[in-house]
C-alpha cells in the first residue's frame, strides 16, 4: 500500500526513519551499494521527500501503528 511521508526521525543507531501518514515508521537507509538513498543524509533532501509515497508493507500485514 502506498503511503505518504509526513516526517523523519533518527533511531537509537542514528538510522533515518520515515514517518508515514498511516502511523507506521519505515527505515530509509542510505547504505551503498545496496540502498541508494543519498537524499536521506541531508536535511534538504529529506524535506524534498515529504509528501512522496513509499510502499508500506506494515499496512499490508495489518500491523498496529508505530506511533
Ligand atoms: Zn502503514
Amino acid at each position: 500500500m502506498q503511503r505518504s511521508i509526513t516526517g523523519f526521525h533518527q533511531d537509537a543507531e542514528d538510522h533515518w526513519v520515515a514517518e508515514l501518514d498511516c502511523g507506521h515508521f519505515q527505515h530509509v537507509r542510505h547504505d551503498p551499494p545496496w540502498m541508494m538513498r543519498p537524499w536521506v543524509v541531508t536535511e534538504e533532501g529529506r524535506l524534498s521527500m515529504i509528501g512522496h509515497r513509499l510502499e508500506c508493507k506494515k499496512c499490508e500485514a495489518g500491523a498496529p501503528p508505530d506511533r
Side-chain angles (χ1 to χ4, degrees), residues 4-9 17-26 58 63-67:
S4 297
I5 298 174
T6 58
F8 295 91
H9 65 265
V17 179
E19 301 169 4
L20 304 178
D21 64 357
C22 56
H24 288 131
F25 296 163
Q26 187 173 134
K58 291 180 182 173
D66 292 316
R67 64 162 170 243

Side-chain angles (χ1 to χ4, degrees), residues 1 3 22 24 56-66:
M1 205 170 295
R3 297 299 195 182
C22 56
H24 288 131
C56 186
K57 290 186 167 39
K58 291 180 182 173
C59 277
E60 283 172 18
D66 292 316

Side-chain angles (χ1 to χ4, degrees), residues 14-52:
D14 289 341
H15 292 132
W16 283 100
V17 179
E19 301 169 4
L20 304 178
D21 64 357
C22 56
H24 288 131
F25 296 163
Q26 187 173 134
H27 275 99
V28 281
R29 293 188 179 88
H30 180 50
D31 186 18
W34 316 110
M35 294 278 204
M36 294 300 284
R37 293 190 180 110
W39 52 266
V40 84
V41 299
T42 65
E43 169 101 38
E44 193 179 23
R46 288 189 301 277
L47 287 176
S48 78
M49 288 300 285
I50 287 181
H52 279 246

